[in-house]
Amino acid sequence: MIPKRVIIVGAGRTAWMAAAYLRSALGRAVPASPDITVIEPSVEPLPGPGLAAAPTLKHLLDVIGIDEISLLNRVGGTFRQATKYENWLRGTGDFFYHPIDDARAQPIDRAALQWLMSDRSIAFAETVSPQPVICDLGLAPKPMGGAPTALPLKYAYHVNDSELAELLREVATSSGVKHCQERFADLEIAENGEVVAIRTEGGARLEADLYIDCSGSAALLGKAQSRVEWVDCTRWLLCDREIRMDIDYSQYYPGRVRPFTTATALSSGWLRDIPLQGLRTLGYVHSSRHIDEADASRELRGFEGRHASPLGTYAVQLEAGHRATPWARNCVSLGSSAAVIEPLASADQYLDDLGIIALAEHFPVSDDFEPNEFRYNRIMTNRYYELLDFVNLHYALTKRSDSDFWRDARKPERINDRLQAKLEFWQQKVPSKSDFVDQHLPGQPDMPFGELPGAQPSPVDTGAIYGLESYEAVLYGMQFLADECNAWFGVNRSPTRVPAYIMDDLQRAPAMLPPHDTWLRKFAGMASYPATGAGQL
Amino acid sequence: MTRNKRVVILGGGSAGWMAAAYLDAVLNSPDRRVVDITLVESPDVPRIGVGEATIPSIHHILSVIGIDEVDFLRRVDGTFKHAIKYIDWLDGNGDSYYHAFGRRRMQPVDYSTSDWLKSDRSIPFSETISAQPALCEACIGPYPMPGEPKVAQFTYAFHINALGFADYLCEIATARGVNHHVDHMTDVEMADNGDIAAINTRGGLRLEGDLFVDCTGFAALLIEKQLGAEWVDCSQWLLNNRAATIQVPYDVNYPGYVRPNTLATAKSAGWIWEIPLQHRRAWGYVHSDAYLSEDEAERELREFIGPIAEGQAARFVPFKVGYRAKSWVRNCIAIGLSAGFIEPLESTGLYLSDLATVMLAEHFPWHGDMAPLAYRYNRIIADRFHEILDFINLHYCLTRRKDNEYWREIGRPERMHDRVRAKLEFWRSKPPSPLDFEDAFFPGEPRDPLPSGGLPGDHRAPVDTAGVFGLSSYEAILYGMDFLGDECRRWYGDGRAPAQVLPPIAQRVHMAMQHMPKHDVWLQQVCGMPVYPVS
């Protein structure tokens, strides 16, 4: 029998995203669209901060049917064209951009090789994308309207998590998703681990064919299934906690809205700065083994400045790891009940989004869920480790040793064996497209992340999320192959050149693209604030 | 960097000249020549050349080398190819379907496949998602007359004369500085470390090199005769091992059209290709010598072509299905038949050379130890070989033909690759979808699906990441061959809604019929194809 009833447990963005997306995507894809009910846990969700969405959010919203203007108006959203990494290499004011738009030359892309052969007088990212300069100028990625979008730039969004959850709830419930008025209390589990029913606080008993756990770290369903083990990954990713702070523009407005996310390395982790229309969310992602909560909070306030001292903070746990089988029998865990990874490079958002997209794609069309479960778990495992590698890469390349944290992060055992094999291979041959076909590189052990459940082969990295262009942005942003290039190409090299197609874009950009906040005020309902900051980006 | 790297290519067929021209284009630029390339071809060795069908990957090679498409078509006797039409593959009673190169995918989610699965299948799948089957039936190519507006951007490949292609590339490459010697290799000098140091020729040449590329076909003079690289036989999954070919010039018979597609018709012990060029048509009967003698194969082929084949000589080309366990050994890289071959049911003959050439350019050993580069190169080539093998095997796995011993043998379980079996079983519980193609590891599949355990020299199983045949290609074959027919009846019941052509596809077909010329007319006017009287 095809699942007819789906129950989603959760109250946040992931729960409502899953409900709205499954509702839309399954409409035509499976023989009969299931009934979907969302039931909220009794625990109040954490205050919803700003989050740096992954580009996959656009796909989810397109399918659900939420357009860009509605989104930005409803969730205080802003544009996100890049991540700017500050102080990651040496902690002495160094920075690099990882732009979202990175269109390379056809039919053959020689950008990296040409940059490596040059004297590096211009940053790599600026030779492959106009976005670093557009970010520096604080411009929106779109014109004021009327003007042709002659400079089509790819981008993602910053959104307010709880406002997005609210918007999705409205859309989902108006398209037929049921919202259970009673809170989740308990569940019944059969001996074989299947969920049999859910009980509400009011004593009602609800049955479904498929249960979806979006209850976050509480993992109300997943945890109850005793066979579903958690795979800890904190030996590679040390950061396990985040201290967050929201700074309302009515208290402090820096005078600009950055069209990018900033990730600044601090003493024991890194700080994300996410600009929304009415506030900024700051989050100090750090290692609790290297700094306690009070010191982390102090460092965060000190970094932001005097205006931050009266503001409250709150802590969130972030221990990296994943459920070995996020889909187990008739229960699928999504979001942080399935996997946790620090939010560098929007890795957490990619996992949340992909979990939902992959579930719709693998939604059972028969009563045998097992094959779908197998593939879903395999894909989510592949992607988890793909992201783990990419996040790990930022730490593997740092030259900082100014604190216990950075000294620890650089230890060889903190770099996973697959990433190590990639870096060693790339010292022999610069990274290129086909390295991302099946990242099994010379010298790599068979199971670089240990044995996986079900005697699976090693996870495969196909560069599905972060491929060559993203790796190049981080590798060359952090001066990978600097010594090798001196040996290969000598030290007197010709000056770096920006290709003509990017120069053209940059010449047209200032006339065509307005400042980010100007665009937001005109199209997204952003309020005006007196600038209390210096107007610096 | 010190002195230029020296690459010596042995063999002057399409593989050798593709390697020469592409490597030169990628590695050298007019103002900076850093690699010296020399190609040696023997005057004694006849080149193998039948009409060749390509896949769209060929565009990359052509555009990197800087080849103009019209010039190319003129020089290689070329025609356009939208698709392959498969005839008699399912039941052998006139059934047919198309595998078209292009398809329309709707955004943000493509429901066209699930819509078709829910329908009554009254229109074949490929016709609902691509305009190309209709264009093929009408013999219309991908382009309007020069100056006329384009109807759509079609994804296409070519039919070419492979020998003409080799000659054309030779001209381009030598004009740019590639050295060319027509001379016969007499012996190979080895270095103490096991590398090839130089080759000597009858004409007294001694050619040293940093890298030697073996394009000597099945003879495999360097990679096998010299370096002893193992050949991995794959005939367990693909029985055919010989082709009988006949060509009929348009002077003798011109049917009145040039098909913009390849035909592949299943026959008693294999299948027959039909490839149209600008001056002739070429047929080839790919079959198994265990089931047909040369005489029987020739007779069946002649019967298929009809009286127009009278007086045209038949040629026999034996082949073996398999690949070199390592096609890069020490400083020698095998490209072309010396590295591997799969029967050309999906026109992957030239593709394997094309891929090897592109991968060699990407993994070119500029400095230091070649071993890590060779490791990766061999892994990628083997992954891709097995990916293609799966896909060719799929055609045989889905047939319902049982009309003779050959087809009954094909139907035996051991003729189905374990990974293909795992794919097909999985797809009976969920129709194929995009994420299936990022790492084709499926329930029930052994960790090492190959009888030998894993890939030779790298015991891990090959990984299929759909580098060449992805979801669209699989759907074309699966649904062309009635896969999930029974399951859909169960899932969706009887009395299903009629199948529908996607509106933008119907629109394209309509526009093309009104505004686009016949394929032969376009070739006549743009490429100078002669006008033949219709027989």
Side-chain angles (χ1 to χ4, degrees):
Chain A
M1 184 201 53
I2 297 158
K4 291 198 182 71
R5 301 161 301 171
V6 174
I7 288 182
I8 299 175
V9 176
R13 169 182 44 85
T14 310
W16 288 110
M17 184 74 86
Y21 185 80
L22 291 177
R23 187 87 206 149
S24 295
L26 295 182
R28 282 165 72 184
V30 298
S33 193
D35 288 331
I36 301 173
T37 303
V38 176
I39 173 162
E40 297 189 9
S42 50
V43 195
E44 286 297 325
L46 286 165
L51 65 82
T56 36
L57 177 66
K58 177 111 176 70
H59 165 79
L60 290 160
L61 298 176
D62 281 350
V63 172
I64 294 168
I66 297 174
D67 66 76
E68 179 172 284
I69 295 288
S70 314
L71 173 83
L72 295 176
N73 275 283
R74 284 292 307 273
V75 305
T78 66
F79 290 115
R80 169 171 184 257
Q81 304 188 65
T83 303
K84 184 181 187 184
Y85 291 90
E86 295 182 338
N87 283 334
W88 278 80
L89 188 59
R90 298 181 194 280
T92 52
D94 51 85
F95 70 89
F96 67 95
Y97 280 99
H98 177 191
I100 289 176
D101 195 279
D102 190 348
R104 301 296 180 85
Q106 289 295 334
I108 196 159
D109 168 29
R110 293 190 173 92
L113 199 60
Q114 280 166 355
W115 184 81
L116 290 170
M117 289 170 74
S118 78
D119 68 357
R120 306 186 174 207
S121 48
I122 299 169
F124 173 71
E126 292 179 34
T127 68
V128 291
S129 171
Q131 274 177 326
V133 173
I134 285 170
C135 287
D136 277 340
L137 296 169
L139 304 179
K142 303 185 102 172
M144 280 309 262
T149 48
L151 200 65
L153 294 168
K154 286 192 198 130
Y155 52 82
Y157 307 108
H158 301 113
V159 296
N160 182 301
D161 193 13
S162 49
E163 286 171 11
L164 178 57
E166 178 72 18
L167 172 62
L168 290 166
R169 185 175 60 76
E170 274 178 36
V171 173
T173 50
S174 70
S175 68
V177 170
K178 292 184 198 115
H179 186 189
C180 181
Q181 293 309 307
E182 294 181 28
R183 299 289 179 105
F184 170 89
D186 201 2
L187 75 167
E188 278 174 40
I189 296 216
E191 269 190 19
N192 66 4
E194 251 176 53
V195 179
V196 178
I198 274 174
R199 288 184 198 287
T200 68
E201 286 181 336
R205 184 173 179 280
L206 303 176
E207 284 183 16
D209 305 305
L210 188 70
Y211 298 84
I212 300 177
D213 186 350
C214 301
S215 61
S217 56
L220 295 171
L221 307 184
K223 250 182 209 163
Q225 294 181 299
S226 52
R227 292 178 205 185
V228 184
E229 71 185 281
W230 182 264
V231 183
D232 178 83
C233 294
T234 53
R235 66 187 138 141
W236 298 300
L237 297 179
L238 297 175
C239 292
D240 57 2
R241 189 169 56 196
E242 182 178 19
I243 303 273
R244 288 186 194 148
M245 171 194 279
D246 291 333
I247 304 179
D248 203 282
Y249 290 159
S250 60
Q251 288 160 312
Y252 178 84
Y253 179 59
R256 293 284 172 87
V257 179
R258 287 176 182 165
F260 55 90
T261 312
T262 312
T264 307
L266 297 181
S267 79
S268 308
W270 58 280
L271 178 78
R272 52 172 169 166
D273 182 336
I274 295 168
L276 298 179
Q277 285 180 34
L279 58 87
R280 283 186 303 141
T281 290
L282 302 183
Y284 183 11
V285 177
H286 61 276
S287 160
S288 66
R289 279 170 277 179
H290 295 91
I291 191 168
D292 67 25
E293 215 175 303
D295 282 347
S297 176
R298 205 168 302 129
E299 192 179 353
L300 166 60
R301 289 168 201 284
F303 181 82
E304 173 63 15
R306 195 173 303 153
H307 57 272
S309 49
L311 301 175
T313 60
Y314 54 98
V316 182
Q317 296 303 311
L318 272 181
E319 284 114 347
H322 65 97
R323 210 161 284 289
T325 50
W327 184 332
R329 298 184 173 276
N330 63 345
C331 177
V332 183
S333 298
L334 296 175
S336 52
S337 42
V340 176
I341 193 164
E342 64 184 87
L344 199 64
S346 297
D348 58 330
Q349 294 300 309
Y350 271 112
L351 281 178
D352 284 12
D353 292 354
L354 179 71
I356 296 168
I357 295 166
L359 175 57
E361 202 179 305
H362 291 82
F363 200 82
V365 289
S366 76
D367 55 0
D368 181 10
F369 295 4
E370 255 183 69
N372 303 47
E373 171 187 331
F374 177 99
R375 270 303 286 177
Y376 180 89
N377 290 335
R378 173 81 186 154
I379 290 162
M380 295 310 292
T381 304
N382 278 342
R383 295 291 177 92
Y384 186 85
Y385 288 102
E386 178 186 337
L387 289 162
L388 177 81
D389 272 19
F390 191 68
V391 172
N392 204 188
L393 176 72
H394 295 69
Y395 294 100
L397 296 172
T398 184
K399 296 203 162 46
R400 287 185 72 145
S401 51
D402 50 310
S403 68
D404 284 348
F405 171 81
W406 290 105
R407 283 188 290 273
D408 196 351
R410 286 178 63 184
K411 284 183 186 160
E413 64 267 31
R414 301 294 175 210
I415 302 172
N416 79 67
D417 286 342
R418 187 171 71 181
L419 179 61
Q420 186 62 39
K422 291 180 190 177
L423 294 174
E424 278 171 21
F425 184 61
W426 290 334
Q427 280 160 349
Q428 320 243 5
K429 177 193 95 22
V430 300
S432 60
K433 205 112 208 144
S434 64
D435 300 342
F436 293 81
V437 165
D438 145 25
Q439 299 197 3
H440 182 74
L441 300 174
Q444 182 183 315
D446 272 8
M447 301 300 288
F449 306 102
E451 278 294 320
L452 296 169
Q456 283 182 59
S458 171
V460 171
D461 181 353
T462 56
I465 300 168
Y466 287 119
L468 174 64
E469 292 79 6
S470 295
Y471 266 84
E472 286 181 343
V474 176
L475 289 168
Y476 304 137
M478 294 184 75
Q479 300 302 328
F480 182 68
L481 295 184
D483 295 339
E484 286 82 356
C485 285
N486 290 339
W488 297 338
F489 309 121
V491 284
N492 290 318
R493 305 207 291 274
S494 54
T496 309
R497 281 185 304 192
V498 176
Y501 72 97
I502 290 180
M503 292 303 290
D504 286 350
D505 283 353
L506 290 176
Q507 263 155 20
R508 286 181 299 147
M512 191 184 303
L513 303 175
H516 189 201
D517 52 350
T518 305
W519 195 97
L520 293 170
R521 275 194 290 271
K522 171 141 180 168
F523 295 106
M526 181 179 162
S528 290
Y529 298 93
T532 32
Q536 295 294 311
L537 282 159
Chain B
M1 280 197 255
T2 48
R3 64 167 173 74
N4 282 3
K5 290 280 172 190
R6 298 158 305 174
V7 177
V8 176
I9 300 170
L10 188 62
S14 46
W17 283 111
M18 213 149 64
Y22 184 82
L23 290 176
D24 177 69
V26 173
L27 306 175
N28 290 323
S29 53
D31 53 337
R32 189 171 164 277
R33 296 195 66 81
V34 289
V35 178
D36 296 330
I37 301 171
T38 302
L39 187 146
V40 187
E41 63 181 313
S42 170
D44 306 357
V45 183
R47 300 185 300 177
I48 295 184
V50 289
E52 286 260 15
T54 59
I55 60 175
S57 70
I58 190 81
H59 292 291
H60 170 79
I61 292 249
L62 299 182
S63 87
V64 169
I65 297 173
I67 290 175
D68 172 75
E69 191 170 85
V70 169
D71 195 41
F72 167 76
L73 287 170
R74 284 183 186 183
R75 291 295 308 273
V76 304
D77 205 11
T79 65
F80 289 111
K81 175 182 171 190
H82 283 297
I84 301 174
K85 183 179 186 183
Y86 293 93
I87 300 169
D88 282 343
W89 278 84
L90 188 57
D91 296 306
N93 53 16
D95 51 86
S96 73
Y97 69 95
Y98 278 94
H99 176 195
F101 288 130
R103 79 167 279 179
R104 180 90 178 191
R105 287 222 174 259
M106 309 306 277
Q107 290 296 329
V109 179
D110 181 53
Y111 293 108
S112 49
T113 304
S114 50
D115 284 351
W116 184 81
L117 289 174
K118 283 196 224 172
S119 78
D120 66 357
R121 305 190 175 202
S122 49
I123 302 172
F125 174 68
S126 62
E127 291 173 32
T128 64
I129 43 105
S130 172
Q132 288 176 315
L135 267 58
C136 290
E137 291 295 324
C139 291
I140 292 172
Y143 287 114
M145 281 308 187
E148 297 290 317
K150 259 192 203 175
V151 165
Q153 182 67 49
F154 294 104
T155 304
Y156 59 85
F158 309 101
H159 303 111
I160 63 173
N161 171 344
L163 297 182
F165 187 39
D167 292 341
Y168 181 47
L169 290 170
C170 166
E171 225 173 78
I172 292 171
T174 51
R176 292 175 184 177
V178 168
N179 305 304
H180 180 202
H181 301 289
V182 179
D183 204 342
H184 191 78
M185 184 183 78
T186 49
D187 68 284
V188 181
E189 280 178 39
M190 300 299 288
D192 292 341
N193 66 359
D195 280 1
I196 296 175
I199 58 172
N200 293 303
T201 70
R202 197 159 56 200
L205 284 172
R206 181 175 179 280
L207 295 166
E208 291 181 5
D210 300 298
L211 213 58
F212 289 83
V213 182
D214 182 347
C215 300
T216 60
F218 284 127
L221 296 178
L222 300 179
I223 196 80
E224 183 176 293
K225 303 276 172 355
Q226 202 62 41
L227 294 165
E230 179 199 349
W231 176 266
V232 183
D233 176 74
C234 295
S235 59
Q236 179 189 342
W237 301 294
L238 296 175
L239 301 180
N240 299 333
N241 58 7
R242 190 169 56 197
T245 67
I246 289 179
Q247 304 187 357
V248 179
Y250 290 151
D251 291 332
V252 173
N253 176 279
Y254 181 65
Y257 53 81
V258 176
R259 281 184 214 283
N261 60 283
T262 310
L263 296 182
T265 307
K267 300 302 292 180
S268 77
W271 58 278
I272 292 175
W273 77 65
E274 182 186 324
I275 291 174
L277 299 174
Q278 286 185 36
H279 294 84
R280 59 191 154 100
R281 279 187 292 169
W283 285 267
Y285 186 8
V286 176
H287 61 279
S288 160
D289 68 6
Y291 295 86
L292 280 190
S293 68
E294 285 195 354
D295 285 351
E296 288 166 329
E298 183 175 340
R299 200 174 317 128
E300 199 178 345
L301 177 60
R302 287 187 183 281
E303 201 173 292
F304 179 80
I305 302 170
I308 57 169
E310 270 168 39
Q312 307 298 329
R315 276 203 307 148
F316 292 88
V317 185
F319 60 80
K320 46 186 187 175
V321 179
Y323 67 105
R324 201 64 62 189
K326 293 179 180 173
S327 56
W328 184 337
V329 177
R330 302 293 321 176
N331 64 339
C332 174
I333 293 111
I335 294 181
L337 298 175
S338 52
F341 183 72
I342 301 184
E343 63 177 67
L345 186 55
E346 285 281 356
S347 314
T348 49
L350 268 184
Y351 171 74
L352 284 173
S353 308
D354 161 348
L355 170 75
T357 300
V358 173
M359 286 303 119
L360 175 56
E362 203 178 308
H363 293 82
F364 194 80
W366 290 108
H367 32 246
D369 185 8
M370 283 187 202
L373 301 171
Y375 178 95
R376 263 310 277 178
Y377 175 94
N378 289 330
R379 169 109 200 133
I380 292 165
I381 299 288
D383 273 352
R384 202 61 62 85
F385 184 90
H386 278 279
E387 177 191 329
I388 298 171
L389 181 69
D390 269 21
F391 191 60
I392 305 301
N393 191 215
L394 178 75
H395 292 69
Y396 292 99
C397 296
L398 295 170
T399 183
R400 296 195 286 240
R401 290 186 69 144
K402 295 270 178 259
D403 44 307
N404 61 25
E405 233 179 287
Y406 173 85
W407 290 102
R408 281 191 291 275
E409 178 64 33
I410 288 211
R412 288 170 54 173
E414 63 268 33
R415 300 297 171 204
M416 186 186 291
H417 196 290
D418 276 346
R419 192 167 69 178
V420 176
R421 177 177 294 108
K423 288 179 184 176
L424 292 175
E425 277 173 20
F426 180 62
W427 291 331
R428 288 196 181 94
S429 55
K430 179 197 76 62
S433 60
L435 287 171
D436 300 342
F437 290 84
E438 76 168 44
D439 150 28
F441 179 68
F442 294 100
E445 183 177 328
R447 192 142 143 179
D448 297 316
L450 300 182
S452 57
L455 293 175
D458 164 13
H459 59 102
R460 282 169 72 257
V463 172
D464 180 353
T465 56
V468 53
F469 295 117
L471 176 61
S472 299
S473 295
Y474 267 84
E475 286 182 340
I477 308 307
L478 291 169
Y479 303 136
M481 294 185 77
D482 202 34
F483 183 68
L484 296 184
D486 293 338
E487 284 80 359
C488 285
R489 273 184 282 281
R490 206 164 60 236
W491 297 337
Y492 304 114
D494 294 321
R496 304 202 295 275
Q500 286 187 326
V501 177
L502 284 179
I505 296 300
Q507 166 83 3
R508 271 184 195 186
V509 171
H510 179 75
M511 295 280 290
M513 297 297 174
Q514 291 202 312
H515 301 295
M516 286 173 65
K518 296 282 182 189
H519 188 200
D520 59 351
V521 173
W522 194 94
L523 291 169
Q524 285 156 2
Q525 304 226 349
V526 179
C527 296
M529 172 183 161
V531 178
Y532 296 96
V534 178
S535 309

